[in-house]
Amino acid sequence: MNNKSEELFHRSPQNPILSARNWPYPVNSVFNPGATLLPDGTTLLLCRVEDRSGRSHLCAARSANGIDGWQVDSKPTLLSDPENYPEEIWGIEDPRITYAAELEKYVVIYTSYSLGGPGVSLALTKDFREFERLGVVMLPSDKDAALLPKRIDGHWALIHRPMDTFGNHIWIAYSPDLQHWGRHKLILKARRGAWWDANKIGLSPPLIETAQGWLMIYHGVRETPSGSLYRIGLALLERERPERCLRRSDVWAFGPEAPYEREGDVPNVVFSCGYTLDPDGKNINLYYGCADSSIALATANIQKLLDWLERNGTPPEECNE
Ligand code: BMA
């Protein structure tokens, strides 16, 4: 099956939509933004910004149409705070945003780059101006985490990706209060050998709720002699038991093809941490980092993604073979 013959994600003709050139202060690169729609319909991207020391912080950009006319905060929106949160010593990266209606707050899960490696940290905000940090919720080495928007069977659920010598696989954990996490379960294993998602996978943006289950966009990393290829595939998780995989794509759904995805600080990378949905909930606007150098947008129809996954996916018993 040639994924080019069936284009699922449509790149914006304005890509890349944001890069260091748009920043009001000197930076090396902007990429991997978390995304959300604010109550007035404004698209907010919380961008990972790498400064010229190599460390990252987060900076908000707002746009009325989610494509252009971005208003970028004049200074960093969320800087690492190693004095109070030593785990942030080497910066904070790759935020995923979930609006938790129960809390009336946005939950921002991000990578804190500590002396012990990357860990998963959590902060709450109402307005992306003030943040309340809860600190580390998953110990290093762990990243690629996002919260589900509502409790499952009375508990918050966090998808995350611990790293170990046996492979980097996607797990889920549950918590009564966002601070104490347990009931850990492996939900999706990296494949092995020649597969596009061999050895290292991770959640990309937060899960998307559909009538059929939670649609998961995840990345797979193929190591080659000249570097890594970061591509995106799909999986479907059971609504009431998200630790159960119902379907997993055999082939990738979106990969680096455009010049701005192929060339940059880290070539051949598409890496998504966020999306917004159109008002009718039928189409997704996927924001993604390109080659660790810029931010782009691609749109897709959610039903088409599910149909494609049905045709190109493995059944539940083969999701983790
Ligand atoms: C991953 C993450 C991403 C990055 C990607 C490619 O491990 O750290 O932030 O975009 O590598 O460098």
Side-chain angles (χ1 to χ4, degrees), residues 218-272:
Y218 73 98
H219 54 267
V221 187
R222 173 83 187 271
E223 298 300 340
T224 81
S226 40
S228 311
L229 291 163
Y230 275 77
R231 301 177 176 121
I232 284 171
L234 305 177
L236 188 69
L237 310 178
E238 198 175 291
R239 254 174 98 118
E240 303 307 326
R241 261 192 314 163
E243 62 257 29
R244 185 154 183 268
C245 177
L246 301 174
R247 209 89 192 158
R248 174 187 197 165
S249 67
D250 277 337
V251 293
W252 67 86
F254 189 67
E257 287 175 18
Y260 50 86
E261 299 160 350
R262 291 252 182 230
E263 290 159 28
D265 278 2
V266 185
N268 298 310
V269 175
V270 292
F271 197 94
S272 177

Side-chain angles (χ1 to χ4, degrees), residues 31-32 48 93-94 143 161 200 230 266 269 271 292:
F31 53 113
N32 301 1
R48 171 174 172 189
E93 308 177 349
D94 299 356
K143 52 164 63 173
R161 202 286 306 278
K200 191 183 198 180
Y230 275 77
V266 185
V269 175
F271 197 94
D292 285 10

Side-chain angles (χ1 to χ4, degrees), residues 133-281:
R133 279 170 160 92
L134 298 193
V136 176
V137 291
M138 290 294 152
L139 288 175
S141 292
D142 202 325
K143 52 164 63 173
D144 299 331
L147 188 77
L148 271 67
K150 58 186 183 197
R151 292 175 189 258
I152 306 284
D153 205 13
H155 284 77
W156 297 107
L158 185 83
I159 310 280
H160 65 116
R161 202 286 306 278
M163 296 172 233
D164 69 52
T165 44
F166 294 97
N168 300 319
H169 312 302
I170 300 178
W171 287 67
I172 192 165
Y174 294 92
S175 167
D177 57 6
L178 293 179
Q179 305 209 46
H180 303 89
W181 294 90
R183 278 177 48 208
H184 298 274
K185 290 210 166 59
L186 176 72
I187 53 179
L188 204 67
K189 279 203 297 202
R191 286 173 168 127
R192 301 178 63 192
W195 283 93
W196 70 275
D197 55 353
N199 305 321
K200 191 183 198 180
I201 58 172
L203 177 70
S204 285
L207 300 185
I208 304 152
E209 191 169 12
T210 75
Q212 284 99 316
W214 298 97
L215 179 60
M216 177 163 73
I217 300 180
Y218 73 98
H219 54 267
V221 187
R222 173 83 187 271
E223 298 300 340
T224 81
S226 40
S228 311
L229 291 163
Y230 275 77
R231 301 177 176 121
I232 284 171
L234 305 177
L236 188 69
L237 310 178
E238 198 175 291
R239 254 174 98 118
E240 303 307 326
R241 261 192 314 163
E243 62 257 29
R244 185 154 183 268
C245 177
L246 301 174
R247 209 89 192 158
R248 174 187 197 165
S249 67
D250 277 337
V251 293
W252 67 86
F254 189 67
E257 287 175 18
Y260 50 86
E261 299 160 350
R262 291 252 182 230
E263 290 159 28
D265 278 2
V266 185
N268 298 310
V269 175
V270 292
F271 197 94
S272 177
C273 293
Y275 65 82
T276 61
L277 296 181
D278 279 354
D280 63 6

Side-chain angles (χ1 to χ4, degrees), residues 272-291:
S272 177
C273 293
Y275 65 82
T276 61
L277 296 181
D278 279 354
D280 63 6
K282 290 190 177 149
N283 295 311
I284 176 171
N285 306 307
L286 190 74
Y287 293 93
Y288 61 100
C290 306

